[in-house]
Amino acid sequence: MTTYDFTEIDGEIEQGEAEFIEMLQKLLRQKSISHTGEGMEECAEAVRLLLEQEGFRTTVYRPGAYPIVYGEIAASGQATDAPTVLLYGHYDVMPPDPLSEWTSDPFEPQIRDGKIYARGAGDNKGQFLAHILAVRSYLKLHGGLPINLKILIEGEEETGSPSLADFVANHRELLKADLVYTSDGPKHASGAPVILLGVRGALSVRVTSKGAAWDNHSGNKGNIVPNPVWPLVSLLHGMRSDDGKVQVEGFYDGIPQVSEADAEALRRLPFDLDDLKRQVGHDGIRMDGETYYRRLSLEPTFNVFGLHAGGRDKGIIPAVAEAYLDVRLVSGQDPLDIYTKLERHVKKHAPDIGIERIMSVPPSKTPIDLPIIRKVIRTVTEACALEPVVQPAMGGTLPDYVWTSVLGAPSVIVPYAPYDEANHSPNENTGIADFLEGIRCTYHLIRRLGESLDGEKE
Ligand SMILES: [Zn+2]
């Protein structure tokens, strides 16, 4: 691995700081609320202009309600085998309400105690602008990029990215990349950077058991009319053993063994059992950090999140009983396949009970030991003052599969906003230091990925 002067970007940032902050404030003044449509077209155009001004060749696509702004810069000169990185971000923001809880106007950014307060400061304008400013600084210092850089900034993230998967499927050649790099979400509570290599998927279903055409009196019709609660409870009971193993045939098929590299990463994650107990409000939890993170990110869940029949104060035989289940899926599990298996289970054990799919999102996972991922981890470690928290996958669900499955590229999420960014809440903010550190981080990423990947195989 070649070495270079690691401080070369610091002078640029110091010199440019005031202008960078002014650029962020300008972007934050432009409303872009995808839930209502307010300012969306204007913001997309502002982002396109910004990209053009910083040297990107841009195209605007309209696959859904709001534009996707796309830009690219090819590697300069002799770098024919240069890797391609796709940066992803979103220019839409959440509605600002409740307005009365904001200390300052959500669309008139204010700086207080080293933080910029405005809707979108953290989620996601401050984060994708850091990428753009890193490119600007790189071009200023070196005249060209050592990698091919693509950037996709969409306007429907806060409404669930309804057009993204199809857009990516229809533009595989355009978006083709060796790495997809997303900066969204918050850093770790300790201030350390987070590197996220996957997410759990989700599948939710409704299971419906029907009895008579209407509720009947439990005395007058008791022992006469069947109660749909009993077959439902018995079905649910048979789906899971007492020690938590899911009894649906084939449920665990295809889930890979936890790799040594993942297990090692899990062991290094910060864990505080007492803090966890406080966070969840349950005293009985007994486990170590590795078990906690393994269960949270690399093992599927099988959860009942709703159960409804009858009421509280009437002696009736309910006409209908319903259960709502959600399954968090891990790498190797496909939501539609799991749904088919659930359907088969219901048909076999309770043929009179109906099942329907409410929603599903596939899981994603990028192997930690890919050379390009090793390089990202090393670069983030170099660029930030603290050792990053590397999570092989996270418990929640994001549409990261769009990159790993639809585009077929490794994907990594490295948040640039502070832990307390208050995204989606009143007084959303980002730290000026976090914003500038993001610029530094993307700058080093461009620099390091421009070097050969030899020597990253450990
Ligand atoms: Zn958001």
Short mmCIF file of all heavy atoms in Angstrom, two decimals, residues 136-171:
data_model
loop_
_atom_site.label_atom_id
_atom_site.label_comp_id
_atom_site.label_asym_id
_atom_site.label_seq_id
_atom_site.Cartn_x
_atom_site.Cartn_y
_atom_site.Cartn_z
N ARG A 136 -15.05 17.90 -5.12
CA ARG A 136 -14.57 19.24 -5.46
C ARG A 136 -13.13 19.44 -4.96
O ARG A 136 -12.26 19.90 -5.70
CB ARG A 136 -15.50 20.27 -4.81
CG ARG A 136 -15.04 21.70 -4.86
CD ARG A 136 -15.80 22.46 -3.76
NE ARG A 136 -15.40 23.84 -3.68
CZ ARG A 136 -16.20 24.86 -3.94
NH1 ARG A 136 -17.43 24.67 -4.33
NH2 ARG A 136 -15.78 26.08 -3.80
N SER A 137 -12.90 19.05 -3.69
CA SER A 137 -11.56 19.23 -3.12
C SER A 137 -10.55 18.36 -3.86
O SER A 137 -9.41 18.77 -4.09
CB SER A 137 -11.57 18.85 -1.64
OG SER A 137 -12.54 19.60 -0.96
N TYR A 138 -10.96 17.16 -4.20
CA TYR A 138 -10.04 16.24 -4.89
C TYR A 138 -9.65 16.80 -6.25
O TYR A 138 -8.48 16.81 -6.62
CB TYR A 138 -10.69 14.85 -5.06
CG TYR A 138 -9.64 13.79 -5.25
CD1 TYR A 138 -9.22 13.01 -4.19
CD2 TYR A 138 -9.00 13.63 -6.48
CE1 TYR A 138 -8.22 12.09 -4.34
CE2 TYR A 138 -7.99 12.71 -6.64
CZ TYR A 138 -7.60 11.92 -5.56
OH TYR A 138 -6.60 11.01 -5.72
N LEU A 139 -10.64 17.29 -6.98
CA LEU A 139 -10.36 17.84 -8.31
C LEU A 139 -9.46 19.07 -8.20
O LEU A 139 -8.57 19.28 -9.02
CB LEU A 139 -11.67 18.19 -9.03
CG LEU A 139 -12.53 16.99 -9.43
CD1 LEU A 139 -13.87 17.45 -9.99
CD2 LEU A 139 -11.80 16.11 -10.45
N LYS A 140 -9.68 19.85 -7.18
CA LYS A 140 -8.88 21.06 -7.00
C LYS A 140 -7.42 20.71 -6.72
O LYS A 140 -6.50 21.30 -7.26
CB LYS A 140 -9.46 21.87 -5.83
CG LYS A 140 -9.02 23.32 -5.86
CD LYS A 140 -9.74 24.12 -4.80
CE LYS A 140 -8.90 25.34 -4.44
NZ LYS A 140 -9.22 25.88 -3.12
N LEU A 141 -7.22 19.66 -5.91
CA LEU A 141 -5.84 19.29 -5.54
C LEU A 141 -5.14 18.48 -6.63
O LEU A 141 -3.92 18.55 -6.76
CB LEU A 141 -5.86 18.46 -4.24
CG LEU A 141 -6.00 19.25 -2.95
CD1 LEU A 141 -6.24 18.31 -1.78
CD2 LEU A 141 -4.77 20.10 -2.69
N HIS A 142 -5.89 17.66 -7.37
CA HIS A 142 -5.24 16.72 -8.28
C HIS A 142 -5.65 16.87 -9.74
O HIS A 142 -5.11 16.19 -10.60
CB HIS A 142 -5.53 15.28 -7.84
CG HIS A 142 -5.14 15.01 -6.42
ND1 HIS A 142 -3.85 14.78 -6.02
CD2 HIS A 142 -5.89 14.98 -5.29
CE1 HIS A 142 -3.82 14.60 -4.70
NE2 HIS A 142 -5.04 14.72 -4.24
N GLY A 143 -6.66 17.66 -10.01
CA GLY A 143 -7.07 17.89 -11.40
C GLY A 143 -7.97 16.82 -11.99
O GLY A 143 -8.68 17.07 -12.96
N GLY A 144 -7.96 15.60 -11.44
CA GLY A 144 -8.82 14.53 -11.95
C GLY A 144 -9.00 13.49 -10.86
O GLY A 144 -8.33 13.54 -9.83
N LEU A 145 -9.92 12.55 -11.09
CA LEU A 145 -10.18 11.50 -10.10
C LEU A 145 -9.44 10.21 -10.47
O LEU A 145 -9.34 9.88 -11.65
CB LEU A 145 -11.68 11.20 -10.01
CG LEU A 145 -12.63 12.32 -9.56
CD1 LEU A 145 -14.05 11.76 -9.40
CD2 LEU A 145 -12.17 12.96 -8.26
N PRO A 146 -8.99 9.43 -9.48
CA PRO A 146 -8.33 8.16 -9.76
C PRO A 146 -9.33 7.01 -9.88
O PRO A 146 -8.94 5.86 -10.11
CB PRO A 146 -7.45 7.96 -8.53
CG PRO A 146 -8.23 8.61 -7.42
CD PRO A 146 -8.99 9.75 -8.04
N ILE A 147 -10.61 7.28 -9.66
CA ILE A 147 -11.66 6.25 -9.79
C ILE A 147 -12.80 6.82 -10.63
O ILE A 147 -12.90 8.03 -10.81
CB ILE A 147 -12.21 5.82 -8.40
CG1 ILE A 147 -12.87 7.03 -7.70
CG2 ILE A 147 -11.14 5.22 -7.53
CD1 ILE A 147 -13.61 6.65 -6.43
N ASN A 148 -13.64 5.92 -11.13
CA ASN A 148 -14.87 6.37 -11.79
C ASN A 148 -15.90 6.59 -10.71
O ASN A 148 -16.15 5.70 -9.89
CB ASN A 148 -15.38 5.30 -12.77
CG ASN A 148 -14.35 4.99 -13.83
OD1 ASN A 148 -13.93 5.87 -14.58
ND2 ASN A 148 -13.92 3.74 -13.90
N LEU A 149 -16.48 7.78 -10.71
CA LEU A 149 -17.42 8.09 -9.66
C LEU A 149 -18.81 8.34 -10.24
O LEU A 149 -18.96 9.07 -11.22
CB LEU A 149 -16.94 9.34 -8.93
CG LEU A 149 -17.50 9.51 -7.53
CD1 LEU A 149 -17.04 8.39 -6.62
CD2 LEU A 149 -17.06 10.84 -6.95
N LYS A 150 -19.79 7.67 -9.64
CA LYS A 150 -21.19 7.89 -10.03
C LYS A 150 -21.94 8.31 -8.78
O LYS A 150 -21.59 7.89 -7.67
CB LYS A 150 -21.78 6.58 -10.58
CG LYS A 150 -21.01 6.01 -11.77
CD LYS A 150 -21.59 4.69 -12.25
CE LYS A 150 -20.86 4.24 -13.52
NZ LYS A 150 -21.39 2.96 -14.05
N ILE A 151 -22.94 9.12 -8.96
CA ILE A 151 -23.74 9.52 -7.79
C ILE A 151 -25.21 9.53 -8.18
O ILE A 151 -25.57 10.00 -9.26
CB ILE A 151 -23.27 10.89 -7.21
CG1 ILE A 151 -23.97 11.20 -5.88
CG2 ILE A 151 -23.48 12.04 -8.21
CD1 ILE A 151 -23.29 12.31 -5.06
N LEU A 152 -26.02 8.94 -7.32
CA LEU A 152 -27.47 8.90 -7.55
C LEU A 152 -28.13 9.51 -6.32
O LEU A 152 -27.95 9.02 -5.20
CB LEU A 152 -27.92 7.45 -7.75
CG LEU A 152 -29.38 7.21 -8.14
CD1 LEU A 152 -29.51 5.84 -8.81
CD2 LEU A 152 -30.32 7.26 -6.95
N ILE A 153 -28.86 10.60 -6.54
CA ILE A 153 -29.54 11.26 -5.43
C ILE A 153 -31.03 11.28 -5.76
O ILE A 153 -31.45 11.91 -6.73
CB ILE A 153 -28.99 12.69 -5.22
CG1 ILE A 153 -27.45 12.63 -5.06
CG2 ILE A 153 -29.61 13.34 -4.00
CD1 ILE A 153 -26.77 13.98 -4.95
N GLU A 154 -31.78 10.56 -4.97
CA GLU A 154 -33.21 10.42 -5.29
C GLU A 154 -34.08 11.30 -4.41
O GLU A 154 -33.60 11.89 -3.43
CB GLU A 154 -33.63 8.94 -5.17
CG GLU A 154 -33.68 8.43 -3.74
CD GLU A 154 -34.72 7.33 -3.57
OE1 GLU A 154 -35.82 7.46 -4.12
OE2 GLU A 154 -34.43 6.36 -2.85
N GLY A 155 -35.36 11.38 -4.76
CA GLY A 155 -36.28 12.25 -4.03
C GLY A 155 -37.45 11.52 -3.41
O GLY A 155 -38.44 12.14 -3.05
N GLU A 156 -37.34 10.20 -3.28
CA GLU A 156 -38.48 9.44 -2.74
C GLU A 156 -38.09 8.55 -1.56
O GLU A 156 -38.83 7.65 -1.20
CB GLU A 156 -39.10 8.57 -3.85
CG GLU A 156 -39.63 9.37 -5.02
CD GLU A 156 -40.25 8.50 -6.11
OE1 GLU A 156 -39.96 7.28 -6.17
OE2 GLU A 156 -41.00 9.04 -6.91
N GLU A 157 -36.93 8.82 -0.97
CA GLU A 157 -36.45 7.94 0.10
C GLU A 157 -37.37 7.97 1.30
O GLU A 157 -37.68 6.94 1.90
CB GLU A 157 -35.03 8.35 0.52
CG GLU A 157 -34.27 7.27 1.25
CD GLU A 157 -34.46 7.26 2.75
OE1 GLU A 157 -35.04 8.22 3.31
OE2 GLU A 157 -34.04 6.29 3.39
N GLU A 158 -37.84 9.17 1.64
CA GLU A 158 -38.68 9.30 2.84
C GLU A 158 -40.10 8.78 2.61
O GLU A 158 -40.89 8.70 3.54
CB GLU A 158 -38.71 10.76 3.32
CG GLU A 158 -37.34 11.33 3.69
CD GLU A 158 -36.68 10.66 4.89
OE1 GLU A 158 -37.18 9.61 5.35
OE2 GLU A 158 -35.65 11.18 5.34
N THR A 159 -40.42 8.44 1.37
CA THR A 159 -41.72 7.80 1.12
C THR A 159 -41.50 6.34 0.73
O THR A 159 -42.33 5.71 0.09
CB THR A 159 -42.53 8.53 0.02
OG1 THR A 159 -41.71 8.62 -1.15
CG2 THR A 159 -42.93 9.92 0.45
N GLY A 160 -40.34 5.78 1.11
CA GLY A 160 -40.11 4.35 0.93
C GLY A 160 -39.45 3.96 -0.39
O GLY A 160 -39.45 2.79 -0.76
N SER A 161 -38.89 4.93 -1.12
CA SER A 161 -38.18 4.66 -2.39
C SER A 161 -38.98 3.76 -3.33
O SER A 161 -38.47 2.76 -3.83
CB SER A 161 -36.82 4.00 -2.11
OG SER A 161 -36.02 4.83 -1.33
N PRO A 162 -40.25 4.12 -3.62
CA PRO A 162 -41.08 3.22 -4.43
C PRO A 162 -40.57 2.98 -5.85
O PRO A 162 -40.92 1.97 -6.46
CB PRO A 162 -42.45 3.92 -4.44
CG PRO A 162 -42.16 5.34 -4.12
CD PRO A 162 -41.00 5.33 -3.19
N SER A 163 -39.77 3.89 -6.41
CA SER A 163 -39.34 3.72 -7.80
C SER A 163 -37.92 3.18 -7.92
O SER A 163 -37.46 2.89 -9.03
CB SER A 163 -39.39 5.05 -8.54
OG SER A 163 -40.49 5.82 -8.17
N LEU A 164 -37.20 3.09 -6.80
CA LEU A 164 -35.76 2.85 -6.89
C LEU A 164 -35.40 1.46 -7.44
O LEU A 164 -34.55 1.35 -8.33
CB LEU A 164 -35.11 3.07 -5.52
CG LEU A 164 -33.59 3.05 -5.51
CD1 LEU A 164 -33.01 4.18 -6.37
CD2 LEU A 164 -33.04 3.13 -4.09
N ALA A 165 -36.05 0.41 -6.91
CA ALA A 165 -35.66 -0.95 -7.33
C ALA A 165 -35.87 -1.13 -8.84
O ALA A 165 -34.98 -1.65 -9.53
CB ALA A 165 -36.46 -1.99 -6.55
N ASP A 166 -37.00 -0.67 -9.36
CA ASP A 166 -37.25 -0.80 -10.80
C ASP A 166 -36.28 0.06 -11.59
O ASP A 166 -35.80 -0.35 -12.65
CB ASP A 166 -38.69 -0.38 -11.15
CG ASP A 166 -39.68 -1.50 -10.84
OD1 ASP A 166 -39.21 -2.63 -10.56
OD2 ASP A 166 -40.89 -1.24 -10.87
N PHE A 167 -36.00 1.25 -11.10
CA PHE A 167 -35.06 2.13 -11.81
C PHE A 167 -33.69 1.45 -11.92
O PHE A 167 -33.07 1.44 -12.99
CB PHE A 167 -34.93 3.48 -11.09
CG PHE A 167 -33.94 4.39 -11.76
CD1 PHE A 167 -34.28 5.08 -12.92
CD2 PHE A 167 -32.65 4.54 -11.26
CE1 PHE A 167 -33.37 5.90 -13.57
CE2 PHE A 167 -31.72 5.36 -11.90
CZ PHE A 167 -32.09 6.03 -13.05
N VAL A 168 -33.24 0.88 -10.81
CA VAL A 168 -31.92 0.22 -10.81
C VAL A 168 -31.95 -0.99 -11.75
O VAL A 168 -31.03 -1.19 -12.55
CB VAL A 168 -31.51 -0.19 -9.37
CG1 VAL A 168 -30.24 -1.02 -9.38
CG2 VAL A 168 -31.31 1.06 -8.51
N ALA A 169 -33.04 -1.76 -11.69
CA ALA A 169 -33.15 -2.93 -12.57
C ALA A 169 -33.11 -2.53 -14.04
O ALA A 169 -32.54 -3.24 -14.87
CB ALA A 169 -34.45 -3.68 -12.27
N ASN A 170 -33.68 -1.35 -14.35
CA ASN A 170 -33.71 -0.89 -15.75
C ASN A 170 -32.47 -0.12 -16.17
O ASN A 170 -32.36 0.29 -17.33
CB ASN A 170 -34.95 0.00 -15.97
CG ASN A 170 -36.23 -0.79 -15.84
OD1 ASN A 170 -36.27 -1.99 -16.15
ND2 ASN A 170 -37.28 -0.16 -15.34
N HIS A 171 -31.55 0.15 -15.24
CA HIS A 171 -30.35 0.94 -15.56
C HIS A 171 -29.10 0.28 -14.99
O HIS A 171 -28.22 0.96 -14.46
CB HIS A 171 -30.49 2.36 -15.02
CG HIS A 171 -31.59 3.14 -15.66
ND1 HIS A 171 -32.90 3.04 -15.27
CD2 HIS A 171 -31.59 4.01 -16.71
CE1 HIS A 171 -33.66 3.81 -16.03
NE2 HIS A 171 -32.89 4.41 -16.91
#
